[in-house]
Amino acid sequence: MDLGIQGKTALVCASSKGLGLGCARALAEAGVNLVMNARGVGALEAAAQSIRDEFGVTVQTIATDITTEEGQSAVLEAANGPDILVTNAGGPPPGMWTDWEREDFIKALDANMLTPIALIKACLPTMMDRGWGRIVNITSQSVKSPIPVLGLSNSARAGLTGYVAGTARQVAPSGVTINNLQPGIHATDRAVSLDTGVAEQQGITREEAALQRQATIPARRYGTAEEFGQTCAFLCSQHAGFIVGQNILLDGGAVNTTQ
Ligand code: NAP
């Protein structure tokens, strides 16, 4: 399917690995030029080069922490009014309700709520003037079905989701859509670290922890960054202009809900 976005520009945050990289690759496959970002230079440059080689699009890289004001300014300057924005950052660590102090919440809110809000707010005016824009936020299934050990993530992502619900409807008349993709468990480094935590806690191997978790998912497997990225690219396509303010689960059926 022609997504109708060839030649557009996308800022894809936190995209040297995992779900962000899946989104960057799928957009590049559709002919979109990219600004990619991550903190570590090595993986970012390698990912960018493989995308240039494979898809022939322009890729700029900005190695910076997206949760800082300087990082946000740097990527926004490089992207210079992108047509497409994909927000993403690492997720907060797991724990117990007794572990989390004010500073831990501030960090999680900065990374997973206030950073995407700042980027959205910076990109919207140009998109609205142009009469076209696509914003996709990578959030989590935990917004629909909170995961007890991810209390910091549950809190921050619920805040972003509330903001998007209102803002998406305010900007839709200008041809700009904002939607959230809610990943369930996907086979990325994040999954390895979550499975390692379970393995240590239960005295089992990481493979056993993964199999145990997969048994709870109707699809009986983890999602892939490739299929996640293709869904993101579709939301950014010309065909998705009537999808506004939605929270789309990509979870293999793990969350049992009719909504
Ligand atoms: P991942 O495989 O660990 O990749 C994270 C990517 O983000 C890397 O490229 C990393 O590069 C970059 N990154 C992390 N923190 C950053 C920061 N502060 N500034 C700039 N770049 C940053 O993670 P993932 O699995 O793709 O997860 C992406 C998001 O989805 C996370 O918020 C995660 O919590 C959420 N999520 C994931 C799953 C899952 O199963 N995978 C499920 C639900 C929600 P550097 O480390 O070099 O910066």
Side-chain angles (χ1 to χ4, degrees), residues 13-20 37-41 43 64-67 88-92 112 138-141 153 157 183-191 194:
C13 304
S15 54
S16 66
K17 295 180 190 168
L19 305 181
N37 151 257
R39 293 163 303 182
V41 181
T64 186
D65 184 337
I66 195 65
T67 68
N88 186 29
N112 302 113
I138 300 180
T139 69
S140 174
Q141 77 170 39
S153 170
R157 297 187 200 276
I185 193 86
H186 280 68
T188 68
D189 288 356
R190 171 79 169 167
L194 290 176

Side-chain angles (χ1 to χ4, degrees), residues 98-185:
T98 42
D99 298 336
W100 304 317
E101 302 298 341
R102 178 181 162 76
E103 274 317 300
D104 302 303
F105 280 103
I106 298 295
K107 249 194 220 164
L109 292 172
D110 263 340
N112 302 113
M113 176 182 170
L114 298 174
T115 292
I117 289 175
L119 294 168
I120 290 169
K121 204 161 171 238
C123 290
L124 273 175
T126 314
M127 291 180 178
M128 292 169 78
D129 284 349
R130 215 179 261 145
W132 196 94
R134 297 283 185 266
I135 299 177
V136 174
N137 303 298
I138 300 180
T139 69
S140 174
Q141 77 170 39
S142 69
V143 176
K144 284 216 173 93
S145 177
I147 299 165
V149 293
L150 294 180
L152 293 172
S153 170
N154 298 338
S155 307
R157 297 187 200 276
L160 174 63
T161 304
Y163 171 84
V164 166
T167 306
R169 287 161 176 94
Q170 289 178 328
V171 303
S174 299
V176 180
T177 70
I178 315 179
N179 292 288
N180 301 317
L181 277 179
Q182 300 179 319
I185 193 86

Side-chain angles (χ1 to χ4, degrees), residues 188-203:
T188 68
D189 288 356
R190 171 79 169 167
V192 170
S193 100
L194 290 176
D195 286 340
T196 303
V198 170
E200 280 166 7
Q201 216 178 29
Q202 298 186 7

Side-chain angles (χ1 to χ4, degrees), residues 25 30 36 59 82 95 116 212 229-230 243:
R25 287 182 56 81
M36 293 174 65
V59 184
Q212 193 172 285
Q230 293 295 339
I243 303 177

